[in-house]
Amino acid sequence: MELTFTEENHKYETINDPSKKWVSATGILKAFTEPFDQNTVATKCSKNKKSKWYGLSPKEIIDLWDKESTRATTLGSWYHNERETELLACNTIQREGIDLPIFHPIMNGDIKHAPEQRLVPGIYPEHFVYLKSALLCGQADRVEVVGDVVNVYDYKTNKK
């Protein structure tokens, strides 16, 4: 099986079997989350005296939200790219007195290929995490394997 990811359309595919429809981790979470109704929420915020948006029109509130969303996305993308660039500039990083190799993502042009699932000690930036039997996949910002311990890091939450 050769699982790939194309950033441009955010699509996961199996090269030798395009009939397989992979579901991303983001997609599975959206299936269990109610969509955000910005018009209803903005209207409530504009009328709630305790809201910091009180007195603004729903359109003004939505415009402010859109502006903040753009700012947060831009800043988040910058932070993510900085961490990834920093990591990929190294050959090894020391953890617990051990030099861990950095395993770069497997790229072919703009298409990323999933590595073998058997991880050896090291650091894996932008690592594919997938469950073939359920056709679920996603990418972890950083996976570290030290001895028998596997840590998965998410840059947005700054947590492992």
Side-chain angles (χ1 to χ4, degrees):
M1 177 198 79
E2 184 158 359
L3 174 62
T4 63
F5 173 74
T6 306
E7 181 75 42
E8 183 182 339
N9 58 4
H10 201 86
K11 189 171 183 178
Y12 295 91
E13 295 179 285
T14 304
I15 296 290
N16 55 359
D17 188 355
S19 68
K20 288 185 177 177
K21 301 297 179 201
W22 288 86
V23 178
S24 70
T26 304
I28 198 84
L29 291 173
K30 281 183 182 177
F32 295 99
T33 306
E34 229 178 278
F36 178 66
D37 181 353
Q38 66 180 7
N39 292 319
T40 300
V41 175
T43 299
K44 286 180 182 179
C45 288
S46 72
K47 296 175 182 177
N48 182 345
K49 290 182 181 181
K50 293 181 180 179
S51 166
K52 72 177 187 177
W53 312 108
Y54 176 70
L56 296 176
S57 74
K59 182 181 179 339
E60 289 172 314
I61 294 170
I62 290 169
D63 288 347
L64 288 168
W65 287 346
D66 287 345
K67 185 177 176 181
E68 177 57 19
S69 175
T70 300
R71 187 192 74 77
T73 300
T74 301
L75 197 56
S77 294
W78 171 84
Y79 181 80
H80 184 278
N81 289 338
E82 286 293 307
R83 299 296 71 78
E84 187 176 349
T85 300
E86 198 174 81
L87 194 56
L88 292 174
C90 304
N91 290 322
T92 62
I93 289 183
Q94 195 168 83
R95 290 282 183 266
E96 299 175 21
I98 302 168
D99 282 335
L100 295 175
I102 308 294
F103 293 97
H104 292 235
I106 305 163
M107 300 294 293
N108 182 4
D110 292 337
I111 298 174
K112 185 184 295 183
H113 295 260
E116 292 296 319
Q117 285 192 306
R118 186 174 307 259
L119 302 179
V120 298
I123 299 175
Y124 301 81
E126 287 303 306
H127 184 67
F128 265 100
V129 179
Y130 59 97
L131 179 58
K132 187 165 61 171
S133 62
L135 294 175
L136 293 173
C137 57
Q139 294 180 66
D141 291 336
R142 177 176 173 163
V143 174
E144 286 188 13
V145 179
V146 183
D148 293 337
V149 176
V150 177
N151 291 310
V152 179
Y153 295 87
D154 178 70
Y155 293 146
K156 284 182 230 63
T157 61
N158 203 22
K159 293 181 182 176
K160 64 175 179 176

